[in-house]
Amino acid sequence: MKYLITVALLMTSLTTLGNGLPDGHPEGGASILPADHDIPKDEFGKMVRQGQLIFSNTGQFAGAYVGNDLSCRNCHLDQGRKAGSAPLWAAFLSYPAYRAKNHRVNTFAERLQECFVYSMNGKAPPLGDPILVALESYAYWMEKNAKINPLLQERGIPQLQKPGTPPSYERGKTVYANNCALCHGTSGQGRRANDGHMVFPPLWGDRSFNWGAGMAHLNKAAAYIKTNMPLSLGGSLSDQDAWDVAYFMDGHNRPQDPRYTGSVDETRALFHRTQNSLYGHLVAGHVLGNDPVSKN
Amino acid sequence: MYKTKYFERGKASLKALLFLPLAFGTHAETSLSQPLISAGGEGSKFSEAACAGCHGNEGDGNAAEGIPRLRGLSATYLREQLQAFASDERKNPVMNSIAQTLSTDGITHAANYYAQLPPLYRPLGVKAESDNELATHGRWGENIPSCDDCHGPEGKGVGENFPALNGQPALYLENQLQAFQKGSRPPGPLHLMENIAKKLSDADIRTISLYYSGSTPMTTGGQP
């Protein structure tokens, strides 16, 4: 039903240039999203709040399915609202969709499962698990109550043009030291609050996302960094700096790809046959993927 | 208004400080292992008693005067602030004069002393969701992250560069956000705080400051 409404809205906006859309609908601008105080105070609202808790403190509220120190909100900024940080509400509107990653049409819930397997280096909550229901409810609530730009310009991560010069580990190291180490630590280990909460997520090593995550791809990492980093200063790095520092980040070891076949070469041939993945490459003295625990 | 009040009180505190060696003289003999602040040589040494005159025993701060809590802040952060006071990059008449008399060792001792004291946190509460909207959610349409995004949940501080906001006097926090706006303290690493503070209204600053001081009227949580 929701999809019918969405399609109807899309068609209306395309055919009548916005006539007939609700007042205040941002036809050309950014979508307007609901605030937390709009969450209904009923059984559905409780599930939405639970989804928000899981999204913000994933290890605490979905610990059985998390294998690292990350939370959803670490990348999906503003609790899954922010444009250009793969916002949750726009993802909700983008599924079911065919994905080259697994060669089939995935539902939104299946896409969430992948986040747990790769980005969270954990395992997939079964379909129908309250954890997935809560996250779906949170995403649906956000989308349902938003005034959405019909072109969905905020979805995913904006693509970044190829750099003028091939990305460099050494240049990336300097960019990292000057712009990233302050929060993510000199060894990419992240930083915890004084009370123990992980605040700045680890970017590589055994407590970060694994080799199967989207962020382990240079194009996605560079685009994400350019758009969103450093926090509050998104867009301040040059395109070249973003590519270089993405190369530096993804040029370190991280947890093994869960699709690992027993051979790095074979895993690379099957799942990393792209210049955007450094898996299986020799970078800074390490064959990436060979040594799942970072010693760089 | 608050800035003015702070400086007026500040002058009074400076006057009081000049008499500190007398005021704390007898107490010092029994309870202090550190020598009192004293000029001479390459600069003065750190004196817990001298600092306590304004910052309270064990660096608890003084809410009415807007004087910050020092206990539990990182040694790196405290040292950098004292150095900035000494070089006048961070402007405060009282602290500029004091920091300029301290030796390098004195600065290090002061920073280390307060860093090793355990932090104290206050329960933070809100009456309406708007009371902590900026503190816990930010305003991303203007690229303003939440304060907690960098200073940690409930502003309890993260590492050496993101000091605890929790429990600092509202007046102090308000003065600092205004100082970042005006450039009367260094802009912070990557100019992060200057950049963010300049996007905040007076009302934003007031709300954030009250929230972290623990003095926002509460409907949930305990009273400090």
Side-chain angles (χ1 to χ4, degrees), chain A residues 36-37 49 73 77-79 82 178-179 182-183 191-195 197 199-200 230-234, chain B residues 121 129 136-137 140 143 145-146 148-150 152-153 156-159 161-162 189-190 192 195-196 199:
Chain A
D36 287 357
H37 55 74
R49 292 267 181 197
R73 72 175 284 177
L77 300 177
D78 195 8
Q79 295 192 309
K82 186 176 179 292
N178 292 339
N179 300 281
L182 173 73
C183 297
R191 274 189 214 281
R192 289 181 184 276
N194 298 344
D195 67 357
H197 280 89
V199 171
F200 298 115
L231 226 51
S232 82
L233 298 174
Chain B
Y121 300 122
E129 293 211 39
T136 61
H137 284 66
W140 283 95
N143 228 344
S146 75
D148 281 0
D149 274 334
C150 293
K156 290 179 179 173
V158 179
N161 292 295
F162 300 93
L190 302 178
L192 289 171
N195 174 54
I196 289 167
K199 295 175 182 173

Side-chain angles (χ1 to χ4, degrees), chain A residues 11-120:
Chain A
M11 292 182 66
T12 310
S13 69
L14 291 173
T15 52
T16 66
L17 295 174
N19 290 338
L21 290 170
D23 286 346
H25 193 100
E27 290 157 40
S31 300
I32 300 168
L33 298 167
D36 287 357
H37 55 74
D38 298 326
I39 296 174
K41 292 176 176 52
D42 57 13
E43 288 304 310
F44 175 66
K46 278 187 207 165
M47 192 58 96
V48 172
R49 292 267 181 197
Q50 183 62 20
Q52 197 176 46
L53 285 174
I54 295 167
F55 198 82
S56 296
N57 299 287
T58 319
Q60 185 180 346
F61 293 100
Y65 302 101
V66 175
N68 60 22
D69 288 331
L70 305 189
S71 285
C72 309
R73 72 175 284 177
N74 288 148
C75 294
H76 305 283
L77 300 177
D78 195 8
Q79 295 192 309
R81 288 182 174 85
K82 186 176 179 292
S85 69
L88 190 63
W89 58 270
F92 186 89
L93 280 176
S94 306
Y95 288 89
Y98 177 80
R99 302 191 69 233
K101 190 166 185 171
N102 51 31
H103 311 292
R104 56 185 182 80
V105 172
N106 294 188
T107 63
F108 179 63
E110 288 174 317
R111 182 64 190 83
L112 290 173
Q113 286 181 316
E114 276 205 6
C115 296
F116 281 95
V117 172
Y118 300 111
S119 298
M120 308 307 295

Side-chain angles (χ1 to χ4, degrees), chain A residues 11-287:
Chain A
M11 292 182 66
T12 310
S13 69
L14 291 173
T15 52
T16 66
L17 295 174
N19 290 338
L21 290 170
D23 286 346
H25 193 100
E27 290 157 40
S31 300
I32 300 168
L33 298 167
D36 287 357
H37 55 74
D38 298 326
I39 296 174
K41 292 176 176 52
D42 57 13
E43 288 304 310
F44 175 66
K46 278 187 207 165
M47 192 58 96
V48 172
R49 292 267 181 197
Q50 183 62 20
Q52 197 176 46
L53 285 174
I54 295 167
F55 198 82
S56 296
N57 299 287
T58 319
Q60 185 180 346
F61 293 100
Y65 302 101
V66 175
N68 60 22
D69 288 331
L70 305 189
S71 285
C72 309
R73 72 175 284 177
N74 288 148
C75 294
H76 305 283
L77 300 177
D78 195 8
Q79 295 192 309
R81 288 182 174 85
K82 186 176 179 292
S85 69
L88 190 63
W89 58 270
F92 186 89
L93 280 176
S94 306
Y95 288 89
Y98 177 80
R99 302 191 69 233
K101 190 166 185 171
N102 51 31
H103 311 292
R104 56 185 182 80
V105 172
N106 294 188
T107 63
F108 179 63
E110 288 174 317
R111 182 64 190 83
L112 290 173
Q113 286 181 316
E114 276 205 6
C115 296
F116 281 95
V117 172
Y118 300 111
S119 298
M120 308 307 295
N121 192 37
K123 56 186 183 188
L127 292 176
D129 188 284
I131 288 173
L132 291 184
V133 174
L135 287 168
E136 288 174 85
S137 299
Y138 179 44
Y140 168 60
W141 164 79
M142 226 188 304
E143 178 276 324
K144 185 180 69 165
N145 295 286
K147 291 171 180 161
I148 291 173
N149 178 321
L151 299 179
L152 267 186
Q153 285 160 329
E154 298 98 331
R155 66 161 295 190
I157 305 166
Q159 292 214 342
L160 190 61
Q161 284 193 329
K162 294 270 178 211
T165 310
S168 141
Y169 184 94
E170 283 306 317
R171 284 197 308 269
K173 190 178 186 175
T174 306
V175 175
Y176 184 85
N178 292 339
N179 300 281
C180 319
L182 173 73
C183 297
H184 294 284
T186 49
S187 308
Q189 76 276 23
R191 274 189 214 281
R192 289 181 184 276
N194 298 344
D195 67 357
H197 280 89
M198 183 58 80
V199 171
F200 298 115
L203 300 182
W204 62 82
D206 59 354
R207 302 305 297 167
S208 188
F209 53 91
N210 68 39
W211 278 109
M215 201 63 89
H217 288 76
L218 299 179
N219 55 335
K220 290 181 182 164
Y224 183 87
I225 291 164
K226 168 78 186 189
T227 308
N228 297 297
M229 292 288 124
L231 226 51
S232 82
L233 298 174
S236 64
L237 293 176
S238 70
D239 289 5
Q240 185 70 53
D241 282 353
W243 279 97
D244 288 342
V245 80
Y247 192 99
F248 179 72
M249 174 178 83
D250 284 341
H252 284 81
N253 251 320
R254 58 182 62 264
Q256 185 57 273
D257 192 321
R259 301 164 295 184
Y260 183 61
T261 64
S263 147
V264 168
D265 287 345
E266 191 182 29
T267 306
R268 170 157 185 90
L270 282 170
F271 304 114
H272 295 270
R273 208 164 47 191
T274 159
Q275 57 185 3
N276 284 310
S277 173
L278 296 172
Y279 184 90
H281 284 234
L282 179 67
V283 177
H286 295 257
V287 175

